[in-house]
Amino acid sequence: MTVKEIIIKTASNLNRKDVVEYLKTGATENSEMVKDDVEILLNSYNVVQDEISSLYYKFKATERFSPKNGIIKYSEFSFNPYAILSVKDDFGSKIKVRILPVEIQTEKPITVEYYYVPKTKNLDDISDFTGTPVTDRILSYGIMTEYLLIKGSYEEAGTWHSKYIDALSKMAINGKRLKIKGRVWQ
């Protein structure tokens, strides 16, 4: 599923026919306002993507690195790591290295296993959640929550947030249901 398809579903749920029309045809009557709303929806998608991938459905990668002057910068990683799970040598043994905020210090080639947040998406990009338990419906509920908060519709955002949390909590990963704490609404 593409990000655009998810945002079209979200716009339909919000009853924003103008946004749906714009995304499908590229034209609408009030295109400047609609373009702004599409940008807000896209930004909301990226916020929800970061939230889900760092808290509920974690993406894991393993890569091998050779240090340059005893340093491996996180910018060399294929993805944006937020948690280093393990560091091993070429024989598969765990080794001690110095893990700093922007780099890993080691003299030996290493294999790093880590959790990462997917790259920021554009409309035509494929969602990293394609084929996972995180459905377009779950993403749509989260996007609506963020969008409505930005637009100042707090009560409606609270309603969609409840649906979002409920859908996330029913999502099963490895046969286990998630336990999720919701936001505090005042």
Side-chain angles (χ1 to χ4, degrees), residues 106-117:
T106 181
E107 294 301 322
K108 300 177 183 178
I110 58 173
T111 300
V112 180
E113 183 178 43
Y114 62 96
Y115 286 135
Y116 68 90
V117 175

Side-chain angles (χ1 to χ4, degrees), residues 4-114:
K4 183 187 280 187
E5 291 168 336
I6 296 165
I7 291 178
I8 287 172
K9 180 176 187 139
T10 304
S12 293
N13 289 338
L14 290 166
N15 202 23
R16 289 294 308 271
K17 293 175 184 167
D18 55 344
V19 172
V20 172
E21 179 185 343
Y22 176 77
L23 289 170
K24 287 184 175 181
T25 67
T28 189
E29 284 184 27
N30 196 352
S31 64
E32 282 309 308
M33 186 179 84
V34 171
K35 283 181 187 177
D36 289 345
D37 284 344
V38 168
E39 191 64 31
I40 292 169
L41 287 164
L42 179 60
N43 289 337
S44 296
Y45 172 88
N46 284 304
V47 167
V48 170
Q49 169 186 263
D50 289 354
E51 177 182 48
I52 292 174
S53 65
S54 63
L55 297 174
Y56 309 118
Y57 189 85
K58 297 180 179 188
F59 290 99
K60 190 187 300 184
T62 304
E63 292 186 76
R64 186 177 184 286
F65 299 95
S66 294
K68 295 175 185 126
N69 298 322
I71 294 173
I72 300 165
K73 296 213 175 275
Y74 293 133
S75 59
E76 297 175 43
F77 284 47
S78 297
F79 304 101
N80 183 21
Y82 70 86
I84 304 297
L85 302 173
S86 70
V87 179
K88 296 180 181 178
D89 63 17
D90 286 341
F91 302 104
S93 300
K94 289 186 179 183
I95 61 170
K96 289 192 177 197
V97 297
R98 191 157 184 212
I99 298 175
L100 300 172
V102 295
E103 65 191 24
I104 297 175
Q105 294 178 347
T106 181
E107 294 301 322
K108 300 177 183 178
I110 58 173
T111 300
V112 180
E113 183 178 43
Y114 62 96

Side-chain angles (χ1 to χ4, degrees), residues 91-154:
F91 302 104
S93 300
K94 289 186 179 183
I95 61 170
K96 289 192 177 197
V97 297
R98 191 157 184 212
I99 298 175
L100 300 172
V102 295
E103 65 191 24
I104 297 175
Q105 294 178 347
T106 181
E107 294 301 322
K108 300 177 183 178
I110 58 173
T111 300
V112 180
E113 183 178 43
Y114 62 96
Y115 286 135
Y116 68 90
V117 175
K119 294 178 180 176
T120 300
K121 298 291 186 264
N122 292 310
L123 287 173
D124 294 322
D125 291 336
I126 301 292
S127 171
D128 284 282
F129 297 108
T130 302
T132 71
V134 181
T135 63
D136 57 347
R137 181 176 59 91
I138 293 171
L139 292 167
S140 180
Y141 289 170
I143 296 166
M144 284 187 279
T145 300
E146 295 299 324
Y147 174 83
L148 290 165
L149 284 172
I150 291 167
K151 290 294 192 171
S153 300
Y154 303 114

